[in-house]
Amino acid sequence: MAGKKWYQTFMRRHPEISLRQPEPTSLARAQAFNKEAVYRYLDLLEKIIDENGLVGSHIYNMDETGVSTVQKKCQKVFGQKGTHQIGSLSSGERGTNTTVVCCASANGNYVLYHPRGYSNGSVCPQN
């Protein structure tokens, strides 16, 4: 097994990589993200924007995140420095998730949803 000194000299020889914590990625998500699917999506998006005369204030980006009741960290891996995300495959079903959803437009309007209620352009109520 490689020791601490080996690791340190290896990292000095390869300054372009760093030790990172990968983010879990389901197998289905990894298989669905490919060049053809992305191009198909972007072509359809462009068509819809052109046909409907949409502007930035009418286009919202939606993102959701889930907080699991069961957390399990992945082992660290080596990856290219500057890479924002490194994935690792994981099971899609674990514990209970609480989901938070945020929608925002280019002009700054937003809607935030969480299990306690909605918020339109302000901080969520604490009820």
Side-chain angles (χ1 to χ4, degrees), residues 1 7 20 34 43 65 70-71 83 116 126:
M1 182 173 208
Y7 168 75
R20 305 283 302 279
N34 59 60
D43 289 342
T65 187
V70 180
Q71 295 294 323
T83 304
R116 294 183 178 175
Q126 296 296 317

Side-chain angles (χ1 to χ4, degrees), residues 31-103:
Q31 289 174 336
F33 187 74
N34 59 60
K35 189 183 255 187
E36 293 81 26
V38 172
Y39 282 142
R40 209 170 32 251
Y41 168 78
L42 292 175
D43 289 342
L44 181 59
L45 180 62
E46 183 178 31
K47 178 182 173 192
I48 291 170
I49 289 171
D50 291 343
E51 285 177 355
N52 295 288
L54 298 176
V55 294
S57 61
H58 296 146
I59 301 172
Y60 279 77
N61 181 45
M62 190 276 298
D63 196 10
E64 56 83 24
T65 187
V67 181
S68 178
T69 57
V70 180
Q71 295 294 323
K72 190 173 182 180
K73 285 196 168 189
C74 298
Q75 292 182 340
K76 290 187 176 183
V77 297
F78 288 104
Q80 185 77 28
K81 278 190 179 177
T83 304
H84 292 284
Q85 184 177 18
I86 296 176
S88 74
L89 297 180
S90 68
S91 169
E93 303 288 330
R94 290 189 299 203
T96 302
N97 280 332
T98 298
T99 302
V100 177
V101 177
C102 183
C103 300

Side-chain angles (χ1 to χ4, degrees), residues 13-26:
R13 288 192 311 270
H14 301 281
E16 71 279 3
I17 63 173
S18 63
L19 192 59
R20 305 283 302 279
Q21 184 75 37
E23 294 185 23
T25 305
S26 70

Side-chain angles (χ1 to χ4, degrees), residues 102-123:
C102 183
C103 300
S105 70
N107 69 349
N109 292 333
Y110 68 91
V111 177
L112 180 66
Y113 171 79
H114 60 90
R116 294 183 178 175
Y118 289 94
S119 173
N120 285 321
S122 63
V123 178

